[in-house]
Amino acid sequence: MKEVKLETTLQVYSNIVELPKDIQDLMNAAIIARNKAYAPYSKFNVGAAILLDNGEIVSGSNQENASYPSGLCAERTAIYYAGAKYPSAKILKMALTASSQNQITDTPIPPCGACRQAIAEYEIKQDQPIEIYFMGAKGKVVKSHSLANLLPVGFDRSYL
Ligand code: THU
């Protein structure tokens, strides 16, 4: 038996103002998307904004359903829209923000496991890392230099 140690390094910005200007703009697009979330059941609004290499910003929010599992997270709403509208564009960066309708969410909220898997597919497809920035409603913003950094030991097409 041998032990394998995996390491993840993240950067933590103290607030949105500390981010580079292009990421501030992207995070602001995610906030606008978050405010359009349809989340009557969880009362948890999530917004995602994606910067493509053609300069376009594509955004999305979580869309819930009375049949709960039929709803979709913000990240997947946005990334599937980007994939459908601009199939040959590369995804450079992604900004995520989440806020509860019941309390102040001031800790960074990372993407769920299913969304990491979905984003991983595009990162592998384009063979170029996707930078991910995530925050709550306000406060600290966490940066991951790639999706793979957030999903070690992932499942991908190489196993099929
Ligand atoms: N949600 C997202 O949009 N993204 C995530 O990464 C985690 C959860 C949504 C799904 C659901 O509408 C609500 O947040 C509560 O789970």
Side-chain angles (χ1 to χ4, degrees):
M1 196 276 272
K2 102 174 157 150
E3 199 167 73
V4 179
K5 200 169 168 187
L6 303 169
E7 211 172 62
T8 296
T9 303
L10 300 168
Q11 284 75 43
V12 182
Y13 294 83
S14 47
N15 54 51
I16 195 170
V17 179
E18 213 197 319
L19 293 167
K21 176 73 173 68
D22 64 326
I23 309 301
Q24 284 187 34
D25 292 346
L26 198 61
M27 190 56 87
N28 283 324
I31 292 170
I32 290 168
R34 189 190 77 206
N35 290 330
K36 295 179 189 161
Y38 177 60
Y41 305 107
S42 72
K43 314 267 186 221
F44 193 71
N45 293 22
V46 185
I50 293 172
L51 176 66
L52 302 171
D53 69 348
N54 62 11
E56 293 286 336
I57 289 180
V58 170
S59 62
S61 57
N62 51 329
Q63 300 295 314
E64 297 187 348
N65 192 283
S67 173
Y68 291 3
S70 299
L72 194 64
C73 290
E75 296 88 328
R76 277 175 286 165
T77 302
I79 207 159
Y80 292 152
Y81 179 46
K85 190 157 189 210
Y86 301 107
S88 53
K90 289 193 174 181
I91 296 165
L92 303 180
K93 298 160 198 233
M94 199 163 180
L96 312 172
T97 172
S99 79
S100 165
Q101 294 168 29
N102 301 319
Q103 63 198 38
I104 293 168
T105 314
D106 57 6
T107 50
I109 310 288
C112 76
C115 287
R116 293 182 204 198
Q117 182 69 27
I119 301 164
E121 182 70 27
Y122 291 86
E123 187 168 88
I124 290 161
K125 175 187 165 217
Q126 68 184 29
D127 194 26
Q128 190 176 305
I130 300 172
E131 283 180 18
I132 318 251
Y133 296 80
F134 55 89
M135 72 169 194
K138 59 179 188 141
K140 288 183 182 142
V141 181
V142 174
K143 173 189 175 185
S144 174
H145 60 74
S146 67
L147 187 284
N149 188 44
L150 291 179
L151 187 61
V153 202
F155 178 82
D156 62 51
R157 56 171 77 172
S158 68
Y159 301 118
L160 298 177

